[in-house]
C-alpha cells in the first residue's frame, strides 16, 4: 500500500538527476585528467627511457663480414685466395613441407640422407625468413643436377658466397694450414662481434697464426626491422637514416716461401714420410716447408664430411701430422758439426790434432764398447775428417770431454731444446737433455754413458726438422742467427702499403777464434767430396755443398746383433737425415731433410736436398729432370750397430 | 555597406544551417564535436592501418552507415522509442541466446550471428537496448527507485551481460552492464546501495576469478605486472607504453611512429590506436582528442539534463556516460592504468559495429532531446 502512496515528484526527480549528472560530469573530467596525468608521466617524465626502448625495437645491427686477406708466395703468386662458392640454401617460410623437401633433396643426392634429422632441427631452430645453408659447396655436376629439379623445390636455392680457395691444393698445406667452419671451441676465445657474419676461421698453420691480420675488421649496418624481425626498407613516409660501418678487409701477407721450390720439395718427398725445411741463412726466411704425406686444405674450407675427416685422421701415415714442426727425431750424425762447434766454443779440443779410432770407444773404468759404424775404425782423424767420415769414436770422446751440461748449453745456443719461434703455431720444442733435466724427469743421476751417445745424436736428444734447418742456417751464416719465419711482409688492406718485416736476429753463436768456423764448414764440405758420406748425391753440382748426413736409429739392437734392414719392419727402420747449405762459400740456402724409416741419410735424404738446391740455386724446377745417375755405392753397407748407439754414413 | 551585407549574409547562412538541423532534430554543437572526433580518427587511422586505403575506405563506408543511423534515429519520435524499448530488449535477448546456441566463431570468440546477408553482433544491440529498457522500467516509477526496482533493473542488466561475457566478450559485457548501472545511478539509486554494491563486487572478485577464462585471468595478472610475460600477454601493454612514451610531447610525426609502422604495437588500428596517436602525435595529439571527447560528453550530459521526462533523461545520461566509459577504459588500458580489456577507442578505432552503435546512440539522444519543442507545442 505504501508504494501506491508514492507519487512521482517531477521537480524532485529533475533536481536529483541534475545533481547526479553534475557529479558524473565532474567525475568524468577528473578521471580523464588522471589519464592525461598518466600520459604526462609516460611522454614527458619517462620519455628518454621509452625512446631508447623504441629505438632498440626497430634498429638491428647486421654484420658485414670482412674479406679475408690473401696470402702470396715470394714470387707474388697467390696461394690462398677468396673465390665464389655455390651453396645450397633453404628459406623455411617459402618451403611448404620442410621434412619432405629434405627427404627429396637426399633422394636426388644433394644432401646426405643421414644428415636429414640434423638439418631438420637446424631449419626448425632458425628464423622463418632467414636462409639456412644446407650444403657449403656444390660441384658443377651438383649444380647441373639441381637445376633440373629446382622447380620442384620452392624455397631451395643456390647462392654464391666467398670461400677460401687454395689453388695449389695439397702443396704447402703444412705451412699454410687452412680455414674451416667456426666451432664451439673457437667461440670461446674469439671476439664474437668480429665474427658475426663470418663462417670461417683460421684453424691451423699460417691461417691460424696470422688470423688477426688476415681476418680484418667486421663492419655492420643498421637495418630497420619490424616486429617479426624481418628487414624493412622504410618507416612510414620518410626514409630513415641508418648508419653503415663498412668492414675493413684483412691484410695480405707475403711469404718467403717459393712455391716452385716447395713443389720440388714435395715432389722429391712424394711417396715417403718425411719433412723438408729450407731456410735463407741471411734472413731466416723459410723458402720451403714440407711435410709429407699431405692433404687438401680445400676439403676443410668447403665443409669436410666426417667420413672424409676420419679417413685423414685414421691414415697410418698421418697426413695431418706436421712433421716439419712437430715431429721430434734423434738427429743422428747430423748433430756432429754442432758437437764440433761446442768443442771449439769451449776450446776443449784442438781441431787439428788427430785422435785415434779403433772402431769402438770405451769409457774409463768400463768395458762397454761404444761402437763406430765402421767396424775396423777410421784410424786417426782430426775434426775435419771426423765430420767428413762421420767418425763416431771421435764424437763419443768429444762429448765425454765436454760433459753433458756444456753440450746442453752449446746446443741450446743453436736453438735446440726450445721452439725456434717460427711464426706459425704448433711447433714442438724437442728435447735437449741435461743433468738437471734427467734428475727432474726421472729422479736419476746423469751417467757418463748418457753423454757419450748424445755425441752422435742418439740417446735422449730429440730435434725437429725445423730446428735442424735453423742450426744448419746458423752454421752457414757463421754464427749469425735469425728466427725462422714464413711471413716477410704485410700489405695493409686500406693503404695498400707493403710493410717489409725486418729479419728477427737472435743472439749469435760466437767462437773464441772466429777462424775456427772454417774447420767445421770445411769438414761439412768434405762430406760431399770423395771419401765423404754424401758424395753420390752431390756429384756434378756446379756449386759447393756443405753437408752432414745422419741415420738415426729407431730400434735398439743388442750388443752382438746385426742390423739387417730387410729383416726389420719397415716402420722400425732407421730415419734418414741430411743437413746442408750451399753454396758453401756464400750460403744462400740451408736445408734439413728427414725421411722417416728411410734408411741412410746419404742415399735417401741427400738427393732430396740436392734437387731443392738445384731448384733454388739453378732454377731447375722441372722435377722430371732425371736425377744424377746413381753412382757406385760410396757408402758402405749397413754396419752392425752398437746398442744403444747408431749406424752412420 | 559591403561589410554589413556580408555580415547579414553570414547570419542568414547560419540561420539556414540552424533551421536544417532543427528540422532534422539534430544538435549542432554535439554534431560538430562528433564530426571533429571522427575526422581526427580518420586522419589517424590512415597512418595506423599502415596506409591501407582499403581499410580506410571501409571505415568511411561504416561511418556513412553510422551517420545514416544517427540521422534516422533522430527522426523517430521519443514516445515511439520508449515504447519499442522492451521489444528491442526482447529481440536482443533472443539473438544473444541464438548466438550462444550456434554463432559463428570470430576472433576466437562466439559473437557473431550470421544472417546470410549480414554478419551481425547482437551484443551491440544491447548497448542501446539495456539502458533503454532500464529507463523504460523506471520511467513510470517514482524515483529514487525502491530496492525492489533496483533488483529488477539489476536482473535486466545481468542477464544480457552474462550472456555476452560468456561469448566471451568481456569488454562489451562491461560496457552493457555499465550502461545499465549508469541508468540506476542517474535515477538516484541511494549512495548506500552503491556502496553495498561495490562491496558485493569486491566480494565477488574471487568468484569471478573462478569463472574467468584463462586469457582473461592472464590479462588481469599481466596488468598487475606486465614484465612477467613480456612476449606473451604482457606484450600488448609493454609495447603500447613504449609507443606512447617514445612519442614525447610532440610525437614522431604522422606515419612515422616506428612502434606502429613496424608492427611492434599489436592491434594498432583497433584497440590500441590511442597508442599510435601518442607515438605519432605525442602528448598534444592525445590531449587534443581527450578534450574533444570531453566536449562530446559534456554536451551530451547537458542535453540529458535538459530532457523533459525521466525516460529521456535516463537514456541520454546513460549514453553520455557510457561514451565516457569507452574513452576511459580504452585510454586507461592503452596507457597502462587499467587491465587490457577489448574496448575500442570510440569513433576512432577501426571497424566493428561499435561505430554504428555509438552514432546510433547519439541519434537516440538527439531524438529524445530535439523533439522537445514539438512536444511542447
Amino acid at each position: 500500500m505504501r508504494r501506491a502512496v508514492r507519487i512521482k515528484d517531477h521537480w524532485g526527480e529533475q533536481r536529483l538527476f541534475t545533481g547526479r549528472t553534475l557529479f558524473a560530469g565532474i567525475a568524468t573530467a577528473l578521471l580523464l585528467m588522471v589519464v592525461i596525468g598518466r600520459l604526462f608521466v609516460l611522454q614527458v617524465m619517462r620519455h628518454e627511457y621509452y625512446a631508447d626502448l623504441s629505438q632498440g625495437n626497430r634498429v638491428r645491427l647486421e654484420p658485414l663480414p670482412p674479406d679475408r686477406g690473401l696470402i702470396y708466395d715470394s714470387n707474388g703468386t697467390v696461394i690462398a685466395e677468396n673465390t665464389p662458392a655455390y651453396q645450397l640454401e633453404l628459406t623455411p617460410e617459402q618451403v611448404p613441407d620442410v621434412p619432405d623437401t629434405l627427404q627429396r633433396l637426399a633422394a636426388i643426392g644433394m644432401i646426405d640422407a643421414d644428415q636429414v634429422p640434423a638439418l631438420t632441427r637446424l631449419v626448425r631452430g632458425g628464423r622463418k625468413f632467414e636462409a639456412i645453408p644446407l650444403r657449403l659447396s656444390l660441384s658443377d655436376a651438383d649444380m647441373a643436377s639441381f637445376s633440373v629439379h629446382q622447380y620442384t623445390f620452392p624455397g631451395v636455392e643456390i647462392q654464391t658466397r666467398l670461400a677460401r680457395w687454395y689453388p695449389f691444393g695439397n702443396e704447402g698445406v703444412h705451412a699454410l694450414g687452412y680455414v674451416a667452419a667456426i666451432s664451439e671451441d673457437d667461440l670461446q676465445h674469439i671476439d664474437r662481434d668480429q665474427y658475426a657474419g663470418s663462417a670461417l676461421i683460421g684453424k691451423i698453420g699460417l691461417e691460424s697464426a696470422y688470423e688477426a691480420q688476415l681476418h680484418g675488421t667486421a663492419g655492420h649496418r643498421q637495418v630497420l626491422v619490424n616486429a617479426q624481425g624481418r628487414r624493412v626498407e622504410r618507416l612510414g613516409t620518410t626514409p630513415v637514416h641508418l648508419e653503415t660501418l663498412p668492414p675493413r678487409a684483412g691484410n695480405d701477407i707475403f711469404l718467403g716461401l717459393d712455391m716452385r721450390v716447395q713443389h720440388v720439395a714435395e715432389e722429391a718427398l712424394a711417396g715417403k714420410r718425411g719433412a723438408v725445411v729450407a731456410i735463407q741463412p741471411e734472413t731466416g726466411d723459410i723458402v720451403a716447408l714440407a711435410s709429407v704425406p699431405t692433404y687438401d686444405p680445400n676439403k676443410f674450407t668447403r665443409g669436410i664430411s666426417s667420413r672424409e675427416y676420419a679417413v685423414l685422421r685414421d691414415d697410418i701415415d698421418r697426413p695431418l701430422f706436421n712433421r716439419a714442426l712437430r715431429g721430434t727425431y734423434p738427429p743422428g750424425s747430423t748433430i756432429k758439426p754442432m758437437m764440433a762447434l761446442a768443442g771449439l766454443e769451449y776450446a776443449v779440443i784442438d781441431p787439428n790434432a788427430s785422435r785415434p779410432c779403433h772402431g769402438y770407444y770405451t769409457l774409463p773404468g768400463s768395458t762397454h764398447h761404444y761402437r763406430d759404424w765402421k767396424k775396423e775404425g777410421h784410424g786417426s782423424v782430426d775434426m775435419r775428417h771426423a765430420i767428413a767420415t762421420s767418425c763416431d769414436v771421435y764424437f763419443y770422446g768429444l762429448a765425454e770431454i765436454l760433459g753433458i751440461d756444456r753440450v746442453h748449453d752449446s746446443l741450446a745456443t743453436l736453438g735446440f731444446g726450445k721452439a725456434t719461434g717460427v711464426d706459425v703455431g704448433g711447433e714442438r720444442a724437442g728435447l735437449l737433455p741435461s743433468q738437471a733435466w734427467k734428475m727432474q724427469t726421472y729422479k736419476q743421476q746423469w751417467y757418463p754413458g748418457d753423454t757419450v751417445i748424445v755425441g752422435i745424436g742418439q740417446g735422449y736428444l730429440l730435434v725437429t726438422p725445423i730446428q735442424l734447418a735453423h742450426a744448419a742456417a746458423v752454421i752457414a751464416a757463421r754464427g749469425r742467427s735469425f728466427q725462422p719465419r714464413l711471413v716477410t711482409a704485410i700489405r695493409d688492406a686500406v693503404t695498400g702499403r707493403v710493410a717489409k718485416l725486418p729479419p728477427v736476429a737472435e743472439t749469435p753463436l760466437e767462437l773464441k777464434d772466429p777462424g775456427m768456423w772454417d774447420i767445421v764448414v770445411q769438414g761439412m764440405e768434405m762430406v760431399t767430396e770423395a771419401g765423404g758420406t754424401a758424395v753420390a748425391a752431390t756429384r756434378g753440382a756446379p756449386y759447393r755443398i756443405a753437408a752432414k748426413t745422419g741415420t738415426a736409429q729407431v730400434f735398439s739392437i743388442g750388443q752382438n746383433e746385426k742390423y739387417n734392414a730387410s729383416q726389420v719392419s719397415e716402420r722400425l727402420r732407421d730415419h734418414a737425415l741430411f743437413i746442408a747449405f750451399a753454396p758453401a762459400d756464400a750460403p744462400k740456402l740451408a736445408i734439413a731433410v728427414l725421411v722417416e724409416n728411410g734408411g741412410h741419410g746419404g742415399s735417401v735424404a741427400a738427393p732430396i736436398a740436392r734437387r731443392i738446391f738445384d731448384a733454388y740455386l739453378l732454377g731447375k724446377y722441372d722435377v722430371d729432370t732425371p736425377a744424377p745417375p746413381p753412382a757406385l755405392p760410396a757408402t758402405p753397407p749397413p754396419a752392425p750397430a752398437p746398442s744403444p748407439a747408431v749406424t752412420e754414413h | 555597406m559591403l561589410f554589413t551585407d556580408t555580415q547579414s549574409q553570414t547570419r542568414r547562412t547560419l540561420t539556414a544551417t540552424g533551421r536544417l538541423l532543427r528540422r532534422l532534430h539534430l544538435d549542432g554543437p554535439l554534431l560538430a564535436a562528433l564530426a571533429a572526433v571522427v575526422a581526427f580518427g580518420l586522419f589517424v587511422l590512415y597512418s595506423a592501418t599502415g596506409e591501407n586505403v582499403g581499410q580506410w575506405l571501409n571505415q568511411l563506408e561504416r561511418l556513412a552507415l553510422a551517420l545514416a543511423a544517427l540521422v534516422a534515429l533522430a527522426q523517430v519520435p521519443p514516445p515511439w522509442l520508449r515504447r519499442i524499448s522492451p521489444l528491442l530488449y526482447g529481440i536482443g535477448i533472443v539473438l544473444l541466446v541464438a548466438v550462444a546456441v550456434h554463432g559463428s566463431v570470430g576472433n576466437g570468440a562466439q559473437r557473431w550471428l550470421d544472417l546470410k546477408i549480414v554478419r551481425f553482433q547482437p551484443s551491440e544491440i544491447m548497448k542501446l537496448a539495456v539502458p533503454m529498457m532500464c529507463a523504460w522500467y523506471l520511467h513510470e516509477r517514482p524515483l529514487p527507485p525502491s530496492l525492489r526496482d533496483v533488483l529488477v533493473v539489476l536482473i535486466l542488466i545481468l542477464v544480457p551481460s552474462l550472456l555476452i561475457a560468456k561469448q566471451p566478450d568481456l569488454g562489451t559485457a562491461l560496457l552493457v552492464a555499465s550502461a545499465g548501472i549508469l541508468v540506476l545511478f542517474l535515477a538516484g539509486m541511494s549512495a548506500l546501495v552503491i556502496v553495498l554494491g561495490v562491496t558485493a563486487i569486491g566480494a565477488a572478485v574471487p568468484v569471478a576469478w573462478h569463472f574467468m577464462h584463462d586469457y582473461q585471468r592472464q590479462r588481469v595478472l599481466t596488468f598487475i605486472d606486465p614484465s612477467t610475460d613480456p612476449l606473451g600477454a604482457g606484450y600488448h601493454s609493454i609495447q603500447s607504453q613504449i609507443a606512447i612514451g617514445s612519442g614525447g610531447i610532440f610525437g614522431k610525426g604522422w606515419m612515422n611512429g616506428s612502434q606502429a609502422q613496424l608492427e611492434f604495437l599489436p592491434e594498432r588500428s583497433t584497440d590500441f590506436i590511442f597508442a599510435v596517436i601518442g607515438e605519432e602525435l605525442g602528448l598534444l595529439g592525445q590531449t587534443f582528442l581527450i578534450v574533444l571527447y570531453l566536449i562530446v560528453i559534456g554536451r551530451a550530459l547537458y542535453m540529458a539534463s535538459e530532457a523533459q521526462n525521466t525516460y529521456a533523461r535516463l537514456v541520454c545520461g546513460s549514453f553520455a556516460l557510457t561514451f565516457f566509459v569507452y574513452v576511459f577504459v580504452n585510454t586507461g588500458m592503452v596507457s597502462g592504468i587499467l587491465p587490457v580489456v577489448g574496448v575500442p577507442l570510440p569513433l576512432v578505432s577501426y571497424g566493428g559495429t561499435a561505430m554504428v552503435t555509438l552514432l546510433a546512440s547519439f541519434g537516440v539522444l538527439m531524438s529524445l532531446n530535439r523533439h522537445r519543442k514539438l512536444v511542447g507545442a
Side-chain angles (χ1 to χ4, degrees):
Chain A
M1 276 295 100
R2 193 176 156 227
R3 275 176 57 230
V5 173
R6 281 191 69 187
I7 52 154
K8 279 182 82 74
D9 169 7
H10 288 282
W11 285 112
E13 287 182 18
Q14 174 85 55
R15 265 203 314 280
L16 180 66
F17 182 82
T18 310
R20 292 277 162 131
T21 308
L22 200 64
F23 176 82
I26 292 167
T28 297
L30 285 179
L31 285 173
L32 289 179
M33 286 307 289
V34 169
V35 170
I36 292 175
R38 170 65 178 177
L39 297 176
F40 184 82
V41 170
L42 292 178
Q43 291 172 318
V44 179
M45 294 166 67
R46 304 181 67 187
H47 171 64
E48 303 267 306
Y49 170 73
Y50 285 114
D52 281 354
L53 287 181
S54 154
Q55 180 74 2
N57 260 350
R58 71 193 184 100
V59 174
R60 294 266 186 291
L61 286 186
E62 188 182 83
L64 297 174
D67 288 348
R68 197 173 175 83
L70 307 183
I71 304 179
Y72 295 90
D73 85 341
S74 60
N75 303 306
T77 310
V78 178
I79 53 179
E81 60 185 318
N82 305 314
T83 57
Y86 299 99
Q87 81 180 22
L88 192 67
E89 290 181 355
L90 177 147
T91 311
E93 69 176 0
Q94 296 165 12
V95 177
D97 182 348
V98 171
D100 171 67
T101 299
L102 292 175
Q103 291 291 352
R104 287 187 298 123
L105 283 172
I108 63 164
M110 296 305 295
I111 54 176
D112 278 352
D114 48 350
Q115 281 185 302
V116 169
L119 285 172
T120 308
R121 280 197 301 278
L122 193 67
V123 171
R124 293 254 160 83
R127 290 171 132 175
K128 290 255 165 274
F129 51 87
E130 274 177 8
I132 291 160
L134 297 179
R135 212 175 122 189
L136 281 183
S137 75
L138 298 176
S139 67
D140 289 350
D142 288 333
M143 296 220 344
S145 87
F146 181 71
S147 303
V148 175
H149 295 98
Q150 183 147 26
Y151 72 98
T152 63
F153 292 101
V156 181
E157 285 174 324
I158 292 172
Q159 293 290 345
T160 313
R161 69 190 169 89
L162 280 185
R164 201 65 157 169
W165 172 249
Y166 303 100
F168 287 87
N170 294 30
E171 281 178 15
V173 65
H174 285 291
L176 275 178
Y178 55 80
V179 296
I182 297 172
S183 70
E184 293 286 320
D185 282 352
D186 295 325
L187 288 176
Q188 303 296 318
H189 54 260
I190 59 173
D191 177 357
R192 290 187 183 216
D193 290 344
Q194 285 300 327
Y195 286 84
S198 305
L200 300 169
I201 189 171
K203 289 286 184 180
I204 198 167
L206 285 172
E207 291 275 26
S208 168
Y210 282 84
E211 179 65 25
Q213 293 282 349
L214 292 167
H215 179 66
T217 311
H220 59 76
R221 111 179 110 193
Q222 291 183 326
V223 294
L224 200 59
V225 292
N226 67 8
Q228 289 83 47
R230 190 192 304 275
R231 195 171 160 201
V232 291
E233 290 303 324
R234 65 189 196 113
L235 161 64
T237 45
T238 44
V240 184
H241 176 70
L242 294 170
E243 284 171 10
T244 298
L245 176 70
R248 183 194 185 281
N251 295 331
D252 298 336
I253 61 178
F254 292 82
L255 310 187
L257 209 67
D258 182 334
M259 284 310 281
R260 297 173 304 186
V261 179
Q262 178 76 22
H263 173 71
V264 170
E266 294 197 15
E267 281 291 314
L269 277 170
K272 304 181 171 71
R273 293 184 308 281
V276 162
V277 180
I279 298 179
Q280 288 180 352
E282 296 298 322
T283 56
D285 294 354
I286 295 174
V287 173
L289 187 149
S291 173
V292 172
T294 58
Y295 57 93
D296 184 358
N298 292 313
K299 280 184 181 167
F300 287 86
T301 65
R302 313 253 152 160
I304 191 167
S305 73
S306 50
R307 236 191 339 263
E308 285 176 303
Y309 185 70
V311 167
L312 286 175
R313 187 193 54 208
D314 300 336
D315 188 329
I316 189 172
D317 289 337
R318 300 173 72 198
L320 296 175
F321 180 55
N322 192 333
R323 290 170 166 80
L325 302 182
R326 295 183 59 78
T328 57
Y329 307 90
S333 297
T334 56
I335 205 72
K336 286 174 183 168
M338 292 74 152
M339 291 299 300
L341 282 174
L344 297 171
E345 187 184 356
Y346 289 100
V348 294
I349 195 163
D350 177 0
N352 297 313
S354 290
R355 292 168 64 87
C357 169
H358 307 298
Y360 62 90
Y361 178 79
T362 52
L363 280 168
S366 166
T367 56
H368 186 94
H369 285 198
Y370 295 92
R371 296 190 190 171
D372 196 285
W373 65 269
K374 197 170 180 183
K375 200 177 176 185
E376 62 275 21
H378 294 89
S380 185
V381 287
D382 64 5
M383 186 177 274
R384 290 183 190 84
H385 288 89
I387 294 171
T389 60
S390 200
C391 172
D392 288 339
V393 170
Y394 186 91
F395 288 100
Y396 289 142
L398 177 55
E400 211 257 315
I401 295 166
L402 279 164
I404 187 60
D405 287 345
R406 283 196 286 198
V407 169
H408 171 274
D409 293 350
S410 181
L411 290 183
T413 340
L414 278 165
F416 292 105
K418 62 176 192 288
T420 61
V422 65
D423 53 348
V424 56
E427 190 188 3
R428 297 266 293 266
L431 176 53
L432 182 57
S434 65
Q435 293 198 50
W437 167 81
K438 190 176 179 190
M439 185 54 76
Q440 199 179 353
T441 311
Y442 293 112
K443 305 273 178 280
Q444 279 177 17
Q445 80 176 86
W446 186 268
Y447 296 109
D450 295 334
T451 310
V452 169
I453 55 173
V454 165
I456 60 157
Q458 293 287 154
Y460 294 112
L461 183 63
L462 292 173
V463 303
T464 62
I466 193 169
Q467 283 174 337
L468 275 181
H470 175 244
V474 173
I475 299 172
R478 310 230 170 180
R480 281 182 302 128
S481 179
F482 297 93
Q483 197 171 66
R485 60 171 188 172
L486 282 160
V487 176
T488 57
I490 292 176
R491 178 158 65 198
D492 187 283
V494 175
T495 64
R497 208 171 54 82
V498 177
K500 287 212 158 62
L501 305 176
V504 184
E506 296 173 321
T507 317
L509 174 63
E510 280 165 2
L511 297 185
K512 288 209 164 61
D513 176 1
M516 295 294 188
W517 281 104
D518 290 336
I519 292 173
V520 174
V521 173
Q522 280 164 20
M524 289 177 74
E525 282 183 71
M526 285 157 65
V527 168
T528 63
E529 289 166 3
T533 54
V535 65
T538 56
R539 181 166 297 144
Y543 48 85
R544 288 184 63 76
I545 303 175
K548 184 69 195 81
T549 57
T551 303
Q553 191 178 319
V554 179
F555 180 61
S556 293
I557 295 162
Q559 274 269 300
N560 302 308
E561 287 177 75
K562 278 190 84 172
Y563 173 89
N564 187 333
S566 60
Q567 285 176 1
V568 176
S569 157
E570 197 265 341
R571 301 260 159 197
L572 295 174
R573 283 184 205 156
D574 297 336
H575 295 324
L577 293 106
F578 189 68
I579 60 168
F581 52 87
D585 48 344
K588 289 203 170 80
L589 197 66
I591 297 178
V593 178
L594 165 101
V595 179
E596 280 183 14
N597 315 115
H600 308 295
S603 58
V604 176
I608 293 170
R610 170 71 190 278
R611 284 167 69 175
I612 296 167
F613 280 131
D614 280 355
Y616 188 72
L617 298 174
L618 308 177
K620 288 164 92 174
Y621 304 116
D622 185 359
V623 289
D624 295 321
T625 308
L632 291 169
T635 50
S643 173
V646 75
T647 56
E648 182 43 53
H649 303 271
Chain B
M1 291 299 108
L2 189 69
F3 179 69
T4 342
D5 257 12
T6 321
Q7 241 185 357
S8 67
Q9 220 167 359
T10 311
R11 194 177 295 126
R12 234 186 355 260
T13 318
L14 279 173
T15 323
T17 314
R19 268 204 302 274
L20 178 68
L21 287 173
R22 189 164 299 160
R23 198 172 301 143
L24 288 174
H25 312 290
L26 299 174
D27 181 66
L30 182 56
L31 206 58
L34 288 174
V37 171
V38 165
F40 187 79
L42 285 173
F43 171 69
V44 172
L45 189 71
Y46 184 71
S47 168
T49 55
E51 299 171 61
N52 187 325
V53 178
Q55 283 192 3
W56 195 80
L57 289 176
N58 272 348
Q59 182 81 346
L60 209 61
E61 200 179 295
R62 242 180 249 113
L63 183 65
L65 185 69
L67 203 63
L70 184 149
V71 174
L73 280 168
Q75 311 314 311
V76 181
W80 289 27
L81 285 172
R82 196 179 61 206
R83 252 171 261 138
I84 62 155
S85 297
L87 184 67
L88 197 64
Y89 181 83
I91 292 171
I93 295 284
V94 169
L95 291 177
L96 279 180
V97 171
V99 166
V101 176
H102 55 77
S104 65
V105 176
N107 217 11
Q110 219 172 23
R111 293 176 192 177
W112 302 81
L113 194 64
D114 201 337
L115 294 183
K116 301 300 169 200
I117 311 155
V118 283
R119 265 161 45 96
F120 186 77
Q121 221 172 328
S123 53
E124 289 295 325
I125 293 183
M126 281 308 191
K127 287 183 184 168
L128 301 183
V130 165
M132 284 165 78
M133 181 66 192
C134 297
W136 175 84
Y137 179 82
L138 293 172
H139 178 66
E140 299 289 337
R141 290 170 172 75
L143 297 180
S146 66
L147 193 61
R148 181 171 163 278
D149 291 337
V150 168
L151 288 176
V152 170
V153 173
L154 279 178
I155 289 166
L156 289 175
I157 296 167
L158 272 177
V159 171
S161 300
L162 290 177
L163 280 170
I164 295 166
K166 234 181 99 59
Q167 285 178 349
D169 184 351
L170 202 60
T172 307
L174 190 80
L175 288 167
V176 167
S178 60
I181 288 167
L182 284 166
V183 170
L184 274 179
F185 166 77
L186 291 168
M189 182 173 62
S190 79
L192 182 67
V193 176
I194 295 172
V195 170
L196 285 176
V198 169
T199 315
I201 290 167
V205 163
V207 182
W209 180 259
H210 181 74
F211 286 104
M212 273 190 198
H213 283 263
D214 277 347
Y215 87 96
Q216 291 164 335
R217 289 183 186 176
Q218 191 56 251
R219 279 181 175 181
V220 174
L221 285 178
T222 50
F223 165 65
I224 296 163
D225 184 6
S227 62
T228 52
D229 190 9
L231 292 175
Y235 183 79
H236 285 57
S237 194
I238 290 170
Q239 294 299 341
S240 152
Q241 289 177 51
I242 292 174
I244 294 173
S246 64
I249 296 175
F250 301 103
K252 298 174 184 171
W254 186 59
M255 306 219 290
N256 281 322
S258 57
Q259 288 286 107
Q261 301 302 336
L262 302 176
E263 296 171 47
F264 289 100
L265 185 65
E267 296 177 49
R268 55 183 184 166
S269 64
T270 54
D271 287 357
F272 282 84
I273 197 167
F274 193 59
V276 179
I277 300 171
E279 185 181 25
E280 299 192 347
L281 305 175
L283 182 61
L284 293 182
Q286 285 181 312
T287 307
F288 175 72
L289 181 63
I290 287 177
V291 168
L292 287 183
Y293 280 137
L294 262 175
I295 292 171
V296 169
I297 296 162
R299 178 67 187 173
L301 281 178
Y302 171 76
M303 285 165 71
S305 68
E306 294 278 285
Q308 282 180 319
N309 59 45
T310 305
Y311 176 81
R313 273 199 294 270
L314 293 181
V315 169
C316 292
S318 168
F319 284 172
L321 292 177
T322 305
F323 188 76
F324 159 74
V325 171
Y326 264 103
V327 173
F328 181 67
V329 170
N330 181 274
T331 56
M333 146 185 111
V334 170
S335 60
I337 53 176
L338 290 178
V340 174
V341 181
V343 172
L345 188 64
L347 306 182
V348 175
S349 282
Y350 174 75
T353 32
M355 170 84 95
V356 178
T357 318
L358 276 164
L359 284 188
S361 77
F362 282 108
V364 170
L365 196 145
M366 288 184 193
S367 156
L368 292 174
N369 200 262
R370 302 301 292 183
H371 282 78
R372 180 172 39 156
K373 272 161 192 162
L374 287 175
V375 172

